[in-house]
């Protein structure tokens, strides 16, 4: 059982500094997309990849206001996303009921770590 956590901070930095409606924010998204693509390509290039059970999840810890920043309770600040791929997931499936706690719970279940319902 192994796990890797990668933190790409340029999008968050651009959101705080320039706002979520800025060109800098969009540029940071494109940069992170390329970085995630490199990571996924490296994983898929592993000689043992076909025999391995990978779960790759991409998410953010919060949203941003168009003007920049977060910390309030508006939908823009609380809303985020989860993009995932793995053997147990149907390609192209979309769900709108995923919440932030589901990210950690999904990773733990994938690793075979039992969840405490309490």
């Amino acid at each position: 059982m192994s796990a890797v956590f990668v933190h790409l901070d340029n999008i968050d930095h651009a959101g705080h500094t320039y706002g979520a409606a800025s060109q800098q924010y969009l540029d940071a998204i494109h940069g992170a997309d390329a970085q995630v693509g490199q990571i996924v390509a490296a994983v898929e290039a592993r000689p043992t990849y076909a025999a391995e059970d990978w779960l790759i999840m991409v998410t953010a810890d919060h949203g941003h206001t168009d003007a920049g920043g977060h910390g309030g309770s508006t939908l823009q600040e609380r809303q985020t996303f989860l993009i995932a791929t793995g053997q147990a997931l149907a390609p192209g499936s979309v769900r709108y009921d995923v919440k932030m706690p589901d990210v950690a719970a999904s990773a733990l279940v994938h690793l075979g770590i039992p969840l405490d319902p309490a």
Side-chain angles (χ1 to χ4, degrees):
M1 164 177 48
S2 297
V4 176
F5 173 83
V6 177
H7 177 84
L8 305 175
D9 193 60
N10 289 345
I11 298 171
D12 190 53
H13 176 72
H16 283 287
T17 306
Y18 305 104
S22 67
Q23 184 62 49
Q24 292 91 336
Y25 191 76
L26 183 59
D27 291 344
I29 290 171
H30 288 296
D33 180 58
Q35 291 172 315
V36 169
Q38 289 175 325
I39 292 168
V40 171
V43 166
E44 292 176 346
R46 292 172 51 87
T48 55
Y49 175 75
E52 298 171 340
D53 184 15
W54 283 86
L55 172 63
I56 299 174
M57 298 188 294
V58 177
T59 191
D61 62 340
H62 57 75
H64 270 284
T65 63
D66 284 349
H70 65 88
S73 63
T74 67
L75 182 59
Q76 282 181 310
E77 294 164 283
R78 291 183 290 117
Q79 190 172 28
T80 188
F81 62 91
L82 173 63
I83 301 169
T85 184
Q87 294 175 357
L89 302 172
S93 62
V94 177
R95 291 182 57 174
Y96 295 98
D97 60 340
V98 176
K99 305 289 185 224
M100 287 308 297
D102 297 328
V103 176
S106 297
L108 292 171
V109 166
H110 183 78
L111 292 169
I113 300 171
L115 299 178
D116 180 354

